[in-house]
Amino acid sequence: MAVVRGYRNYRGRTPKWKAVLAAVLVLVILAAICVIVLQRHIVYDETGTPHLELFWQETPKQTAPEEPGEVELTIQKAEPREITAFTVPEGMLTQEAWADAAARAAVTEEQSWNAAAVTVKDSAGSVYFDSGTAVSGSVKIAEDTAAALAEITGEDSGFYTIARLSCFHDPKAANDSVEEMGLKNTGGYIFYDGNNSQWLDPGKPAARQYLCEIAREAAELGFDEILLTDVGYPTEGSLDKIAYTGPEPPEDMVVRFLQEMKDALEPCGTALSVELPETVVSEGADENAGLSLAKIAPLVDRVYVKTAPEQAEALAQAVTAAGGTAFAAEVTAYSPELRGSCLVY
């Protein structure tokens, strides 16, 4: 049988092009594996530029700081303490007026004063600090009023400070905005009380808001306590001619006002007190004024009453029984007979 020439040399030999192709495939696979592995080590800087960071170059990942939660601020309310307070004379407040009042208190025998009362708004509607809320023409200040207030309410004064603020007896604001704030008569005109003066209407939201804003401004000056006077409706004059407004009876409109005032002062941490007539405390109410001791006492931190020293103890008991509220007697002169808080006016 004839043998094909060269057969034994050819069988089993792989062509060179296949070997080259196999090598290329291996390299492609290795390259793909490298790319996959290296992708895990590519990092980007702040500008977005990629960098290769191998495992021996890696730095521990920084844990992103946790977002701070909402911080709840709690303002400590100034708790009414037992006071023996003197009063700065009503009118434009100056450093001289404050120095004179403090000096007179300092030399009083047998008595240690720890509090001072300043009128920031009187029953004529005048406002004695630089208020941004007060109606036009009502602000009365001196060049050094701001400095005087800083001295009074500053920590160095050493006094617990009380801002007296007349509320609804306010002829300036009542006449400035009769429709929105003024107390009117049944004929549709501004109401005149028995002293030919005008009042704000507790039933009108704008009137209540006006007083709340002025009180808030006073609290932001640094006073420890806001003492509201002239709260309620007039009790002199042709009361049957008053055109009562508001969705509730007069005494409930007064309660609404005090609740709104309390809410306005709460962010400042300022104590809220009210001056009431002696008859309201002794008898429990005054229908004409819209005042009810049982409804008012729980809303305030202290009740003040102008009275004689010998009546103070009985009035204090009535106030405590009505709402567990602190009491302060307002007297014309200090008396050793007094027990508890007092304010000499």
Side-chain angles (χ1 to χ4, degrees):
M1 177 183 242
V3 177
V4 178
R5 190 178 183 82
Y7 172 79
R8 294 183 183 275
N9 294 333
Y10 175 79
R11 187 173 61 181
R13 182 177 298 176
T14 303
K16 292 183 179 181
W17 66 269
K18 288 186 177 181
V20 172
L21 179 60
V24 170
L25 289 174
V26 170
L27 292 174
V28 169
I29 292 171
L30 290 174
I33 293 173
C34 291
V35 169
I36 293 172
V37 172
L38 292 175
Q39 277 183 339
R40 299 177 182 179
H41 298 275
I42 294 176
V43 296
Y44 296 84
D45 60 19
E46 309 80 38
T47 64
T49 304
H51 296 281
L52 181 63
E53 187 178 82
L54 299 178
F55 65 90
W56 59 81
Q57 296 175 315
E58 291 180 356
T59 55
K61 291 185 179 180
Q62 299 294 324
T63 303
E66 295 183 2
E67 290 293 329
E70 292 186 4
V71 179
E72 185 175 342
L73 296 178
T74 302
I75 298 177
Q76 186 65 38
K77 186 173 182 178
E79 292 295 332
R81 63 190 188 191
E82 189 167 299
I83 60 167
T84 303
F86 63 92
T87 303
V88 178
E90 191 173 289
M92 191 178 296
L93 186 61
T94 64
Q95 289 177 294
E96 183 179 2
W98 164 243
D100 289 346
R104 286 196 302 271
V107 299
T108 302
E109 297 180 359
E110 300 179 357
Q111 182 52 44
S112 176
W113 306 91
N114 64 0
V118 177
T119 298
V120 295
K121 180 177 178 293
D122 64 18
S123 59
S126 297
V127 176
Y128 297 108
F129 68 95
D130 190 14
S131 167
T133 300
V135 297
S136 178
S138 63
V139 173
K140 296 182 178 180
I141 57 175
E143 291 184 359
D144 62 344
T145 293
L149 285 167
E151 288 183 14
I152 294 169
T153 60
E155 294 182 1
D156 293 339
S157 78
F159 293 110
Y160 178 89
T161 52
I162 304 161
R164 293 179 62 96
L165 192 154
S166 176
C167 293
F168 294 101
H169 190 190
D170 187 338
K172 290 184 183 294
N175 283 291
D176 182 81
S177 183
V178 177
E179 294 300 322
E180 291 188 355
M181 297 197 292
L183 182 66
K184 298 170 72 174
N185 60 28
T186 52
Y189 301 98
I190 191 76
F191 175 82
Y192 287 84
D193 66 12
N195 297 307
N196 205 35
S197 190
Q198 300 83 45
W199 292 60
L200 296 175
D201 186 348
K204 293 182 176 179
R208 300 194 304 270
Q209 182 180 2
Y210 175 68
L211 297 172
C212 287
E213 289 179 352
I214 290 180
R216 178 185 53 77
E217 287 180 319
E220 290 173 349
L221 293 173
F223 285 98
D224 298 301
E225 184 175 331
I226 302 294
L227 168 55
L228 306 179
T229 65
D230 298 308
V231 174
Y233 294 79
T235 57
E236 298 181 58
S238 302
L239 305 183
D240 59 327
K241 300 297 184 183
I242 294 177
Y244 293 98
T245 62
E248 300 166 339
E251 68 177 33
D252 290 332
M253 296 313 305
V254 172
V255 168
R256 178 179 292 199
F257 163 66
L258 291 175
Q259 185 60 62
E260 291 171 354
M261 180 66 75
K262 185 177 180 179
D263 293 342
L265 296 179
E266 186 174 5
C268 303
T270 309
L272 175 63
S273 58
V274 63
E275 179 186 271
L276 295 177
E278 184 174 348
T279 54
V280 171
V281 176
S282 60
E283 299 175 12
D286 184 331
E287 185 177 348
N288 289 329
L291 302 176
S292 167
L293 179 62
K295 292 183 177 182
I296 291 174
L299 293 174
V300 297
D301 298 294
R302 193 182 340 250
V303 171
Y304 289 73
V305 178
K306 289 184 177 179
T307 188
E310 58 271 19
Q311 301 297 325
E313 185 174 353
L315 295 171
Q317 291 175 355
V319 168
T320 301
T325 309
F327 172 80
E330 290 185 81
V331 293
T332 55
Y334 175 76
S335 170
E337 299 176 15
L338 283 171
R339 296 292 182 270
S341 295
C342 70
L343 170 61
V344 177
Y345 64 94

